[in-house]
Amino acid sequence: MHAFIYKSQRKDDTFVYLAARDDFARLPEPLRTQLGELTFVLDVALTPERRLARENVQVVRANLAERGFHVQFPPPLTGDERADA
């Protein structure tokens, strides 16, 4: 399975994986509005053995097969990071 990855220009550390390149119509309108402009980052083969830095490849593959997209949100803030914000 192949994925095309885009970075949200409005939401820091938020990425969208699409099953088809530039197939933004798959994204619900409220989500598209929230994410703003999406900039292409890379395309990647998502094999079952592949490791991703922040996501479970099985979950990403399942979402791409079912919905045509997967959204990777930033990791939750730790207690120290929240105090700095």
Side-chain angles (χ1 to χ4, degrees):
M1 174 177 281
H2 215 79
F4 300 89
I5 304 173
Y6 299 80
K7 180 177 182 12
S8 169
Q9 296 303 302
R10 184 176 291 162
K11 298 285 187 180
D12 289 340
D13 292 326
T14 303
F15 296 86
V16 175
Y17 294 66
L18 294 176
R21 187 163 182 152
D22 298 336
D23 188 11
F24 303 115
R26 292 275 190 174
L27 300 173
E29 184 59 39
L31 181 59
R32 278 191 296 202
T33 301
Q34 181 182 15
L35 296 175
E37 182 182 345
L38 297 171
T39 303
F40 179 75
V41 178
L42 71 115
D43 62 288
V44 63
L46 292 179
T47 62
E49 306 80 31
R50 177 130 195 152
R51 300 198 62 159
L52 298 172
R54 287 199 216 154
E55 296 293 309
N56 178 317
V57 74
Q58 310 315 36
V59 172
V60 175
R61 286 170 52 91
N63 286 338
L64 290 175
E66 183 179 320
R67 298 182 251 191
F69 73 93
H70 173 83
V71 180
Q72 175 182 311
F73 293 102
L77 296 176
T78 65
D80 292 339
E81 291 170 326
R82 273 184 265 168
D84 293 341

